Amino acid sequence: MRIFDPHIHMTSRTTDDYAAMYEAGVRALVEPSFWLGQPRTSPGSFYDYFDSLLGWEPFRAAQHGIAHHCTIALNPKEAGDPRCLPVLDELPRYLVKDGVVAVGEIGYDSMTPAEDTALAAQLQLAADHGLPALVHTPHRDKAAGLTRTLDVLRESGLPPERVVLDHLNEATVDEAADSGCWLGFSIYPDTKMDEHRMVRLLRLHGTARVLVNSAADWGRSDPLKTRAVGDAMLDAGFTDDEIDQVLWRNPVAFYGQSGRLELDLAPDPAAVTHEGNSILRGGE
Amino acid sequence: MLNPRDPDQEAVGDIAPRLEQQLDAPAREWLRQALAEAEAQPQKSTWELHFASAGRQCGRAAALDARVLLLHSAGPDTVTLTRLYHQGTAAERAAVLRALPHMAVGKTPDAVPLVEDALRANDTTLIRAAVGRYAAAHLDRHGWRHAVLKCLFTGVPVRSVNDLARRARGDAELARMLRDFAHERTAAGRSVPEDLHHVLELALESAPAHPPEEF
Ligand SMILES: [Zn+2]
């Protein structure tokens, strides 16, 4: 089972996770830029983070046989902090980088006017740079947040096939599907969305335009949830081809719209590490 | 040569023909146009966009060579080069380091801070790029010894270190550092990297009749 996790925050994960993910079949992932749990106080803090998503983290992933790409944006939680707003002006120099396959995560957190501005500006940046957009739907007041998100999307220059709406659930999937956008589902170890409910949704909505991710980060989360969905699909009678579509071909098709995916990593991590093994030896 | 594919170690005129052979027609055409623009309008930021997008235009494997050629054609000053390095992805930073011998700044020590920055990294692709021809010519003795040690620590093969034999030969201080490192490893019940013995042998050889210039 080959797996592409289209949304996972590896910066917060250990090398054990990378090894377990490889073991489970993960060969590619996209790491969206997001907040760190602790609010940032200056734009420079973002730039170091973005640089890491384009430097250190892809190197770490490659050492474990996993192709790493990222999405860059001013995230919804910090878009309302005036100390962070200068980041918006620096985004263009990041959006031209080879490893950047979308603008994201963008979207609403508390649905404030500042978030309106940041969302619209960044959708425009995606259109200007020929990139897709990863749009997160808010965890609080999700249904209203989705409706407002779709309004802003319609006013933007970005066609729906270039947008994925993420963190969807049973309550939001129909409206999201009607929009023509890609449908993203984050599978968590708690009640937000699990692999069995995901399988029921796949039965109802089919496997087209669906992306399944672990959204694993520093919170309670599990980087192997993509594999859990694959196994649950298998148990529920989905074919290998349908599983491959959801867990590999769909994310490749969505992020491939950037023209920047490079998935031809060495098949065996040993081949990657033989030249330099600073991770496996702990960096010492 | 140790690794004839490292673009800091070949004549810049040899890179383009070799690279063009690897590229398909659209990428070849893109490269020609990008190099022409870099040469004609080095002040315009268009070529910097080409520098950033070289990976998706030429493929990751060929991007290093393409970026080195772009830097050579545009010939940015040290300030611009430093900005490109610091605002670069790991792949772009490695290209800046590899391009140094082909640029005017390569004849000066002005880019040493970039090498030092890369040597602080833990990304072995950057460390490899940092110990190329420019470092061999411009790193001071202390910095160079630590670069060699860092390669041994991080598993970067010492054959990546440009001009290793000349700079290591007769270096008693380097020999001491290597012996101490080997002792630390042995005391911990760990093996000593094969490469260490090789460098130690070089360092223990008697110093050349004409000692290398002290930087
Ligand atoms: Zn996320």
Side-chain angles (χ1 to χ4, degrees):
Chain A
M1 198 181 289
R2 56 176 180 172
I3 298 172
F4 185 137
D5 192 334
H7 182 156
I8 181 165
H9 302 285
M10 292 313 297
T11 302
S12 311
R13 310 301 306 192
T14 64
T15 50
D16 280 0
D17 287 333
Y18 268 123
M21 288 163 68
Y22 184 86
E23 193 62 31
V26 178
R27 294 292 181 273
L29 60 85
V30 166
E31 174 156 12
S33 61
F34 202 52
W35 77 313
L36 298 174
Q38 175 75 27
R40 298 177 177 92
T41 59
S42 70
S45 176
F46 280 87
Y47 309 146
D48 289 340
Y49 172 65
F50 295 159
D51 289 343
S52 170
L53 295 183
L54 292 162
W56 179 236
E57 205 55 47
F59 174 74
R60 240 163 56 96
Q63 296 233 309
H64 294 87
I66 297 176
H68 180 290
H69 296 81
C70 70
T71 78
I72 295 285
L74 175 60
N75 67 76
K77 281 185 199 285
E78 292 174 308
D81 186 336
R83 293 175 300 182
C84 302
L85 283 181
V87 171
L88 284 176
D89 299 324
E90 288 291 311
L91 288 178
R93 75 174 168 90
Y94 284 101
L95 297 181
V96 301
K97 301 297 190 188
D98 277 333
V100 178
V101 293
V103 172
E105 306 180 41
I106 51 176
Y108 285 114
D109 181 53
S110 307
M111 291 192 271
T112 63
E115 290 173 25
D116 281 328
T117 310
L119 177 56
Q122 295 186 94
L123 288 170
Q124 187 59 49
L125 282 174
D128 294 346
H129 288 83
L131 288 171
L134 169 57
V135 181
H136 137 134
T137 55
H139 292 297
R140 304 179 305 276
D141 203 7
K142 191 180 278 288
L146 174 62
T147 304
R148 186 149 156 188
T149 301
L150 291 174
D151 288 341
V152 179
L153 278 174
R154 270 187 290 271
E155 287 165 24
S156 80
L158 213 55
E161 65 270 18
R162 286 253 296 276
V163 176
V164 60
L165 298 166
D166 213 343
H167 313 316
L168 296 174
N169 58 23
E170 290 87 348
T172 50
V173 63
D174 290 323
E175 191 181 358
D178 288 344
S179 72
C181 295
W182 289 72
L183 311 174
F185 296 90
S186 304
I187 314 301
Y188 298 97
D190 56 26
T191 51
K192 277 186 208 162
M193 171 57 75
D194 66 31
E195 56 268 32
H196 307 291
R197 284 161 58 202
M198 188 64 232
V199 163
R200 284 198 290 278
L201 279 171
L202 283 165
R203 278 220 189 88
L204 273 171
H205 286 268
T207 50
R209 280 197 293 134
V210 170
L211 304 182
V212 170
N213 62 72
S214 71
D217 56 15
W218 32 254
R220 193 164 141 65
S221 50
D222 178 356
L224 305 183
K225 278 296 180 189
T226 47
R227 174 64 195 236
V229 169
D231 290 340
M233 286 177 77
L234 210 54
D235 290 345
F238 282 92
T239 65
D240 288 345
D241 186 68
E242 287 167 320
I243 295 169
D244 190 64
Q245 181 190 10
V246 171
L247 294 183
W248 186 265
R249 299 199 306 272
N250 282 351
V252 169
F254 177 71
Y255 288 117
Q257 295 180 91
S258 68
R260 305 186 198 176
L261 275 186
E262 277 224 44
L263 301 170
D264 55 341
L265 260 189
D268 171 10
V272 182
T273 52
H274 109 277
E275 273 269 284
N277 52 2
S278 64
I279 303 282
L280 299 182
R281 287 159 54 174
E284 299 181 290
Chain B
M1 218 46 253
L2 302 170
N3 182 356
R5 299 294 315 277
D6 287 337
D8 57 335
Q9 294 174 38
E10 50 185 337
V12 73
D14 293 344
I15 303 175
R18 179 170 59 68
L19 176 58
E20 290 205 357
Q21 278 186 341
Q22 292 168 249
L23 299 177
D24 60 15
R28 209 155 43 223
E29 186 47 39
W30 174 85
L31 180 69
R32 281 184 186 160
Q33 216 158 11
L35 291 175
E37 281 180 44
E39 199 165 347
Q41 296 177 302
Q43 305 307 326
K44 268 184 74 176
S45 59
T46 325
W47 82 267
E48 289 187 24
L49 190 62
H50 299 324
F51 182 71
S53 64
R56 53 190 183 271
Q57 299 291 350
C58 300
R60 188 167 29 209
L64 176 65
D65 289 335
R67 289 188 170 116
V68 167
L69 290 176
L70 279 165
L71 287 166
H72 175 257
S73 294
D77 59 23
T78 309
V79 173
T80 307
L81 196 69
T82 300
R83 174 175 55 75
L84 285 171
Y85 175 89
H86 285 296
Q87 296 189 346
T89 62
E92 293 169 28
R93 291 178 187 201
V96 169
L97 296 168
R98 294 288 191 197
L100 290 172
H102 303 308
M103 307 181 67
V105 63
K107 298 186 175 48
T108 76
D110 295 352
V112 165
L114 304 186
V115 173
E116 290 169 342
D117 181 85
L119 287 171
R120 278 190 291 270
N122 216 32
D123 179 336
T124 49
T125 61
L126 275 178
I127 296 168
R128 276 200 66 220
V131 292
R133 214 170 105 200
Y134 181 82
H138 293 287
L139 263 194
D140 66 22
R141 293 199 146 195
H142 181 80
W144 188 81
R145 287 172 189 136
H146 272 274
V148 172
L149 217 54
K150 178 122 186 187
C151 287
L152 293 171
F153 265 84
T154 54
V156 171
V158 292
R159 64 182 152 76
S160 309
V161 180
N162 186 256
D163 216 4
L164 176 72
R166 181 185 66 82
R167 288 211 60 171
R169 188 165 294 127
D171 188 337
E173 175 64 2
L174 179 64
R176 181 199 61 77
M177 291 163 80
L178 294 169
R179 280 210 191 93
D180 284 356
F181 176 37
H183 175 72
E184 196 185 318
R185 281 290 179 107
T186 315
R190 302 178 60 190
S191 65
V192 175
E194 199 49 48
D195 270 4
L196 186 146
H197 299 296
H198 171 60
V199 186
L200 186 56
E201 266 172 44
L202 290 171
L204 289 175
E205 283 177 24
S206 53
H210 302 287
E213 198 181 328
E214 176 70 73
F215 293 101

